[in-house]
Amino acid sequence: MMIDTPSMTPSARPASGPRDGLPVSSGNWFAGLGTVAGLGALAASSCCALPVALAGLGATGAVFGGLAMLASIRPILLGGAALALLMGWALFFRHRATACDMAEPCARTGPSWRTPGILGLGTALVGLALAWEPYLEPIVLKAMR
């Protein structure tokens, strides 16, 4: 009795998982999104000091209208930035354990220094936006007088 079994060539090899051949995200997009939203939240948090500084630089009323719009969506910006940064940090730490294909050497051991740098900057901006209005803005306004 003869059993016909196909040979296991590389093209006939079964897939071992859904992520084979696909890059694992390192959180770069979430880092950038969180940083930009954190910058917007910081601009929305400064109701008095930023407009005074911008007026000193020659800004017009259109800029102040944009700041008023940002102030109305400040909680959404802070929540979105915090969520994007949380996802970015989670993907960054998950991506640090990169598995290599057995047939080829590892081309990359992990994400570059830019990802944690941008995540750190975004986290600092969100923290500054949270502390700006109640704690830092009165100090800055006193210093501007």
Side-chain angles (χ1 to χ4, degrees):
M1 187 162 138
M2 184 177 202
I3 299 174
D4 186 23
T5 57
S7 64
M8 294 299 283
T9 60
S11 62
R13 187 173 45 182
S16 62
R19 287 192 239 179
D20 285 348
L22 297 176
V24 178
S25 175
S26 65
N28 293 338
W29 287 99
F30 287 110
L33 179 66
T35 302
V36 169
L39 187 61
L42 181 61
S45 296
S46 59
C47 72
C48 304
L50 185 62
V52 169
L54 289 175
L57 293 173
T60 61
V63 173
F64 302 129
L67 287 176
M69 190 270 309
L70 279 178
S72 66
I73 61 169
R74 179 180 181 259
I76 296 169
L77 285 172
L78 280 172
L83 183 64
L85 288 169
L86 182 68
M87 289 295 299
W89 280 115
L91 287 173
F92 171 71
F93 286 118
R94 182 175 154 241
H95 184 5
R96 290 191 62 162
T98 303
C100 298
D101 187 46
M102 293 175 65
E104 300 172 10
C106 293
R108 187 172 169 187
T109 60
S112 68
W113 60 270
R114 286 179 269 167
T115 300
I118 292 173
L119 284 169
L121 176 66
T123 303
L125 285 173
V126 169
L128 188 60
L130 287 172
W132 183 263
E133 190 174 354
Y135 304 112
L136 299 175
E137 189 164 33
I139 298 168
V140 172
L141 285 176
K142 283 182 185 178
M144 290 176 81
R145 288 184 188 166

